[in-house]
């Protein structure tokens, strides 16, 4: 179901600027801390229809995972976690946008490791700026908490004292700058 929402973005296509954007995540590690990482290769667009209704599409190259530890990144790319050889791309396609006070809820289908599930991103719109000669620029921050097991990342790495090496809940955070296309 798509809910009509008038956006403060002008009609047209806004593409994600990967140089000024971040796709990050954090997950509990050893029950006492968090590991943080990013996906460094991604793209996407926000398309605003004539009636002001926005839609969002995005792709993440999963093998661009970066936790600043080469050995861990290699393990994350393996079949134990993302299985990037079989599932190199994660995708998001919005199905609706709803106002939520001062934020927006962007509903959509997220596909990771060949599994598609509906998710809802809570999005803060940071405004539009005329830009620096390249056209209008818009900024957004978004987050969602996902259960890795819902996407087939179900490796168990129990600790002798209880708990697990890797938590189930993964917080995904997006800091997005989008450029208006001419």
């Amino acid at each position: 179901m798509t809910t009509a929402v008038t956006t403060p973005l002008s009609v047209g296509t806004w593409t994600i600027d990967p140089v000024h954007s971040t796709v990050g995540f954090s997950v509990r590690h050893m029950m006492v801390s968090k590991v943080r990482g990013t996906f460094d290769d991604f793209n996407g667009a926000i398309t605003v229809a004539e009636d002001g209704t926005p839609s969002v599409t995005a792709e993440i190259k999963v093998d661009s995972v970066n936790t600043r530890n080469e050995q861990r990144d290699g393990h994350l790319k393996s079949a134990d976690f993302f299985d990037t050889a079989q599932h190199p791309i994660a995708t998001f396609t919005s199905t609706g946008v709803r106002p939520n006070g001062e934020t927006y809820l962007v509903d959509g289908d997220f596909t990771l490791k060949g599994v598609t599930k509906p998710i809802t991103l809570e999005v803060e719109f940071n405004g539009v700026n005329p830009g620096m000669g390249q056209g209008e620029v818009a900024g957004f921050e978004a987050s969602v908490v996902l259960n890795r097991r819902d996407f087939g990342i179900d490796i168990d790495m129990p600790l002798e004292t209880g708990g697990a090496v890797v938590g189930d809940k993964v917080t995904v955070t997006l800091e997005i700058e989008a450029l208006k296309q001419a």
Side-chain angles (χ1 to χ4, degrees), residues 25-91:
F25 65 91
S26 64
V27 63
R28 181 77 52 206
H29 181 253
M30 303 293 288
M31 303 296 296
V32 297
S33 64
K34 289 188 178 180
V35 167
R36 298 179 191 284
T38 59
F39 292 97
D40 296 335
D41 193 351
F42 54 89
N43 64 72
I46 303 159
T47 303
V48 180
E50 290 292 330
D51 68 358
T53 303
S55 63
V56 180
T57 58
E59 286 189 349
I60 299 168
K61 292 187 180 173
V62 185
D63 69 353
S64 72
V65 65
N66 181 357
T67 64
R68 298 184 328 226
N69 180 293
E70 192 174 318
Q71 181 180 0
R72 178 173 46 223
D73 294 346
H75 192 200
L76 289 172
K77 294 173 189 180
S78 77
D80 285 345
F81 287 93
F82 295 128
D83 194 5
T84 61
Q86 297 298 313
H87 307 284
I89 305 290
T91 62

Side-chain angles (χ1 to χ4, degrees), residues 3 19 36 76 95 130 150 161:
T3 304
V19 174
R36 298 179 191 284
L76 289 172
T95 57
D150 290 346
T161 57

Side-chain angles (χ1 to χ4, degrees), residues 6-169:
T6 302
T7 178
L9 297 177
S10 58
V11 171
T13 300
W14 298 73
T15 58
I16 293 174
D17 177 1
V19 174
H20 295 104
S21 300
T22 304
V23 176
F25 65 91
S26 64
V27 63
R28 181 77 52 206
H29 181 253
M30 303 293 288
M31 303 296 296
V32 297
S33 64
K34 289 188 178 180
V35 167
R36 298 179 191 284
T38 59
F39 292 97
D40 296 335
D41 193 351
F42 54 89
N43 64 72
I46 303 159
T47 303
V48 180
E50 290 292 330
D51 68 358
T53 303
S55 63
V56 180
T57 58
E59 286 189 349
I60 299 168
K61 292 187 180 173
V62 185
D63 69 353
S64 72
V65 65
N66 181 357
T67 64
R68 298 184 328 226
N69 180 293
E70 192 174 318
Q71 181 180 0
R72 178 173 46 223
D73 294 346
H75 192 200
L76 289 172
K77 294 173 189 180
S78 77
D80 285 345
F81 287 93
F82 295 128
D83 194 5
T84 61
Q86 297 298 313
H87 307 284
I89 305 290
T91 62
F92 176 80
T93 303
S94 67
T95 57
V97 177
R98 303 174 277 143
N100 183 43
E102 295 190 19
T103 64
Y104 294 91
L105 298 176
V106 178
D107 301 314
D109 293 324
F110 181 61
T111 301
L112 176 65
K113 200 176 178 182
V115 177
T116 301
K117 297 278 185 183
I119 67 168
T120 300
L121 296 165
E122 184 169 7
V123 179
E124 181 179 344
F125 174 61
N126 295 330
V128 176
N129 186 285
M132 298 178 66
Q134 301 298 319
E136 291 179 283
V137 178
F140 307 87
E141 293 179 32
S143 65
V144 64
V145 176
L146 304 174
N147 186 320
R148 66 181 175 86
R149 293 178 185 279
D150 290 346
F151 295 92
I153 303 171
D154 52 11
I155 183 173
D156 281 319
M157 298 171 64
L159 294 169
E160 288 181 22
T161 57
V165 172
V166 179
D168 290 346
K169 293 181 182 178

